[in-house]
Every structure is written in C-alpha cells, then in structure tokens.
Amino acid sequence: MSVEIDHPVPDFSAPATGDKTVTLSKLRGQQAVVYFYPKASTPGCTTEGGDFRDRKPQFDAANTVIIGVSRDGIRAQENFKAKQDFNFDLISDKDETVCQLFDVIKLKKMYGKEHLGIERSTFLIDSDGKLAQEWRGVKVPGHVDEVLDAAKALNNGSLNN
C-alpha cells in the first residue's frame, strides 16, 4: 500500500532525533512536509536540509512541520542534525517502514552498479492527514522554494492539485 494524492496517509510512528518518536497522527491540525533523502552528511542531502533549515520560519508561518527521513541510524541522524544545525527532526528509518509506505525505495545506479536506495522525494500532507502534493525524483536546486510555495498555498486554501 502506498500513498495517493487526496487520500489519507496511513499513520506511522518512527524514531527521530532528540530521543523522540514522530507519529503522523499527532501532527493533525498542522501541515507536514515529509522529505526523503538518500544519506546523511552527503553533499546533496546537506544542501537540501540546509534549504529547509533556512526557510523553517516561513514553513512555521504556513503552519507546516518539516520532517526529514533516511535509512541512516539514529546516531548518524543526530550527528547530521547537530553538525548542520537543523531546526527540525530527522527520522531514522533503518527498517524502511516509512520508506515503503511512501514507495521511495527505487533501483538506482552508481558507478555502473545497481542498488536499492531512496529516491529523493518530498510529500506535503494537509492538516487533516491527506496527501496534498508529492515530488519524486527531486533535484535539489530550487526544490525547497517550490515546496514552501505549495505549503503556503495549501495553508491559504488555494492549492490546486
């Protein structure tokens, strides 16, 4: 089962930085950006996380929580968050439960070898827990601004799917 636009996102709970557990249903009443990145502390993931960090006040103003997800262990996530001064939580999804729910594990090629990995993807969930918008196969430059515009539009009731 995978997520679909205009349908409720199945509830999930996962371990996150700060010794927390993120539970989707506990975020109701707020919008949520759930973004998946391949690996903590790599260049593209650092840039993307930094873009979310730098725009967090605007996401807050749009009633939107930011959550990053990768398959890295909790220690790697804690180190990544601390080193980059991220002001939002990162989920450690070592068992790929959340990744499978959002269908972001894809066959990728690196240096001519194929492996399964996270396809950089972002999901915008409305305050009722329904998937409002998704971005798959994300390219980092300009992406966070696009997500922010969608979050603002959704919060203002003007997002068109």
Side-chain angles (χ1 to χ4, degrees):
M1 183 162 127
S2 184
V3 298
E4 287 183 57
I5 299 283
D6 290 331
H7 288 80
V9 175
D11 198 20
F12 66 83
S13 291
T17 49
D19 205 24
K20 296 178 189 163
T21 298
V22 170
T23 301
L24 185 62
S25 59
K26 290 185 178 172
L27 301 176
R28 293 272 158 76
Q30 295 178 290
Q31 298 173 170
V33 166
V34 180
Y35 83 96
F36 292 83
Y37 56 94
K39 189 157 181 56
S41 301
T42 56
C45 300
T46 299
T47 299
E48 184 179 28
D51 289 348
F52 276 114
R53 175 198 62 218
D54 296 346
R55 288 164 188 76
K56 186 173 183 296
Q58 292 101 309
F59 278 100
D60 290 345
N63 190 36
T64 306
V65 176
I66 302 165
I67 303 161
V69 184
S70 78
R71 299 183 302 178
D72 294 292
I74 200 70
R75 180 176 286 145
Q77 297 289 51
E78 291 285 6
N79 291 342
F80 188 35
K81 180 179 176 178
K83 186 174 181 188
Q84 301 304 325
D85 201 23
F86 290 158
N87 45 11
F88 53 87
D89 287 316
L90 302 176
I91 286 176
S92 169
D93 191 31
K94 283 183 83 77
D95 66 3
E96 299 180 0
T97 305
V98 183
C99 289
Q100 297 291 344
L101 177 66
F102 285 87
D103 190 29
V104 298
I105 301 292
K106 303 291 180 191
L107 193 61
K108 300 169 84 176
K109 275 190 177 175
M110 190 181 318
Y111 308 118
K113 293 192 189 277
E114 291 186 336
H115 68 283
L116 287 174
I118 291 179
E119 176 184 55
R120 191 181 307 279
S121 306
T122 303
F123 300 86
L124 177 60
I125 301 167
D126 73 14
S127 57
D128 295 323
K130 287 184 182 171
L131 183 60
Q133 200 161 339
E134 64 181 21
W135 296 263
R136 295 182 180 270
V138 166
K139 302 289 182 237
V140 173
H143 174 63
V144 172
D145 290 327
E146 194 179 324
V147 176
L148 179 58
D149 289 346
K152 288 177 180 175
L154 182 61
N155 192 48
N156 296 332
S158 60
L159 179 67
N160 296 324
N161 291 345

